[in-house]
Amino acid sequence: MKTKHYIFALALLLLLVGLGGWWQYNKPARDLNNEKADFSIPTTELYEQFTQNETTANQQYLDKTLQVQGVLKEISRGEDGSLNLNLDAGSEMGGVTCEVPAANIPEGLALQVGQQVKVKGQCTGYLMDVVLVKCVLVL
């Protein structure tokens, strides 16, 4: 009789794990267009916080929605039509990199190096640059 209970419990556990996996796989992607920024910060200050104490900065900013403002240092386009914006952070060693998916690029957008911009994105951490993904331009 106990064997039936164990089999039932195991089947129920597998069903719950399967449903959880299915839900995670089909969960809609995060849309930052309508999401309010958790923090609004200049690129120089954000970069400085990550270079001074990466652990503390990760605890504060990782996976949060950040709105950063800074001077556009470099623009490149990815193979998928996305924009990669490198914002000046007051350091020769790094900056803030913002990946803007093609779907988030406004029509007729004309960006120029040296231009002041505001970008909202999800912080994924620090790798020589502070990296923001799923970005939208704040116009």
Side-chain angles (χ1 to χ4, degrees), residues 33-53:
N33 282 310
N34 301 318
E35 196 170 309
K36 186 177 183 226
D38 296 310
F39 297 95
S40 183
I41 186 168
T43 54
T44 52
E45 187 178 325
L46 179 65
Y47 183 79
E48 184 178 323
Q49 287 184 30
F50 270 96
T51 55
Q52 286 182 356
N53 191 334

Side-chain angles (χ1 to χ4, degrees), residues 71-75 86 111-116:
V71 176
L72 193 52
K73 190 162 79 172
E74 185 181 331
I75 307 168
N86 192 320
L111 294 175
Q112 297 176 357
V113 172
Q115 178 180 353
Q116 184 82 17

Side-chain angles (χ1 to χ4, degrees), residues 59-75:
Q59 289 172 346
Q60 185 169 8
Y61 298 120
L62 198 61
D63 289 326
K64 299 282 196 295
T65 301
L66 306 182
Q67 180 174 303
V68 296
Q69 54 273 357
V71 176
L72 193 52
K73 190 162 79 172
E74 185 181 331
I75 307 168

Side-chain angles (χ1 to χ4, degrees), residues 70-124:
V71 176
L72 193 52
K73 190 162 79 172
E74 185 181 331
I75 307 168
S76 62
R77 194 169 281 278
E79 291 180 18
D80 59 353
S82 64
L83 278 179
N84 294 306
L85 309 176
N86 192 320
L87 305 181
D88 188 23
S91 170
E92 292 296 319
M93 298 300 292
V96 176
T97 300
C98 304
E99 183 268 323
V100 183
N104 292 351
I105 301 171
E107 251 185 72
L109 179 67
L111 294 175
Q112 297 176 357
V113 172
Q115 178 180 353
Q116 184 82 17
V117 293
K118 283 186 182 180
V119 181
K120 183 170 54 169
Q122 178 184 353
C123 182
T124 59

